[in-house]
Amino acid sequence: MSDTPLSVRNDAPRQSTDLAAADQAAPLSKPPVAIPTIAAAVPVLPVQLAARDGASRKATAIIYCEANLGEIDGKTANGLVRHSEIYEILAVIDSKHAGSDAGVVLGEEHQGIPVCRDLADAIACGGAVPDYYIYGVAPASGMLTVPQRGLILEAIASGMNIVCGLHEFLNDDEEFASAGARHNVTILDVRRPRDKKHLRSFSGRIAEVTCPRIAVLGTDCAIGKRTTATVLTRALNERGIRAVLVGTGQTGLMQGARYGVALDAVPSQFCSGELEATIVEAFEVEHPDVIIVEGQGSLSHPAYSTSAVILRGCHPDGVVLQHAPARAHRCDFQSMPMPSPADEIRLIELFAATKVIGLTINHEGMSDDEVSAAITSYECELEIPATDALSRPSDRLVDMVVAAFPELEKKLTVAVS
C-alpha cells in the first residue's frame, strides 16, 4: 500500500539493480524548462508551473525505478503512480516491465503511465523533455550506485530538474551541484531538514490542537501506512469531514502533502518538536475537523524509532494500525517474524495514552477471499473495525473514524459511490 505494493509480494532481501542501458544513451539537447522558486529553509516542491499560455499546470515528471516498480524498494515510485497532487507523471523507467502500464504493474487500474526501458525511451513516450526527473527507489543503503549517478547527470544535461528523497543529499555533491548550476536546473533534496538553528523542540503546544489527531501506524516498515493515510484523508474530505494529512516521509512530501517533515532525517532531539510544530501549523491554518498523521516504521521494530517519535510528537487521540497478514517476516529481516496485530496494539496503547480504533490490511500475497476472511477474523479477535483501504469501499474507513469520534457524524454528507 502506501509504502509498498499490495498485489506483489516480495520476500527476498532488498538489492540494488542498475539500469542496464544507463550509460549507453546519448546525451540529449536541453530545452527551456520553467523552474519554480524553492524556499531556502526546507524543501518545498512545486505545486504549479506557468504554461506557455499563462495558465497554471502541474509539473511534468518521469520516475526512475529500475527493476523495482511494484516492489518494496520501489515504494516512492509506487506511491507517485497511485497519487500525485503536484506532478503529472509521464513515464516510469524500469526495463523489467518496459511496455507495461505502471498501474497494471501495481496490480491496479490502468493509469495511462507507460513503463519505459531507459531515459531516452521515457522522454520519447512523454513527447517532450519533462520538467522533473524523480529518483523513485528507496534502497536500504540510501545511496546512489555509479550507473544511477550517471543517469541523473544525463537528466540534468537534458534540462530536467531533479527530485531525490535519499539520505545522500545531491546538492552537497560537487559533481551534481556543478552540473545543476551549469545547466540552470534545480535539485531538490526532499529529506534535507531545515537548518539546525531553525529546528523546533517539543513545547507542549500540541494541547492547543483541539480536533482529533489520528496516527496511521503499522506492524512493519514498507507496509502501506502512507497509502492508507492518503486514502483515509481523501475519503473523509469527500464525505464532508475536513481532514488534513501531515506527511512524515519523503514520498508523502513528493506526492504533495502540504504539511510534513521527513522525520528520519531530523536530529533526534528535535523530531518530536518538528512534528508537533507542523501539526500545530496545519491546525491553525486549515482549521480541520481531523488531522491524519502518516506513520513510519513500526513501534516494535528494532531498526526504527520514528513510530515512537510520532506517538510522542502528535499525542494521537486514535491510531489506525496497518498489517500485512501474509507477510511472514519483517521487511529486510528474515530472522524476525512479524508481530501479531494484537501484540502491536498492546505495545502502542502501553507506550502512549491513545486507543487503536481500527485495523487496515495490506493485501500483498492474498486473494480477495482471504482478505475478507482476515477482516472478519480480526474484527472478532480485536473487537475493532477492520478493512482494506484499496480493495474495499473507502466508506469503511470513514465509518471507522466516526465510530471512534462520534462528534464528527454531524459533518457527514452523503456516502461516496
Side-chain angles (χ1 to χ4, degrees), residues 179-266:
R182 186 166 60 252
H183 295 284
N184 192 31
V185 305
T186 298
I187 299 174
L188 298 174
D189 288 311
V190 179
R191 259 195 176 116
R192 183 188 292 276
R194 65 182 72 239
D195 291 339
K196 288 183 180 178
K197 63 183 178 182
H198 297 306
L199 290 172
R200 292 145 314 173
S201 298
F202 187 81
S203 68
R205 289 196 64 203
I206 195 69
E208 299 173 12
V209 179
T210 55
C211 70
R213 300 175 301 282
I214 300 173
V216 181
L217 305 183
T219 53
D220 195 9
C221 67
I223 202 167
K225 298 176 288 290
R226 187 192 64 253
T227 290
T228 289
T230 301
V231 173
L232 172 58
T233 303
R234 182 168 58 239
L236 289 167
N237 280 296
E238 287 174 348
R239 291 292 306 279
I241 297 174
R242 183 166 175 75
V244 173
L245 174 64
V246 173
T248 57
Q250 73 277 15
T251 304
L253 296 175
M254 290 184 193
Q255 287 179 312
R258 293 185 61 191
Y259 300 91
V261 56
L263 280 177
D264 62 358
V266 175

Side-chain angles (χ1 to χ4, degrees), residues 313-326:
C314 81
H315 286 203
D317 301 291
V319 169
V320 172
L321 184 67
Q322 179 87 6
H323 180 62

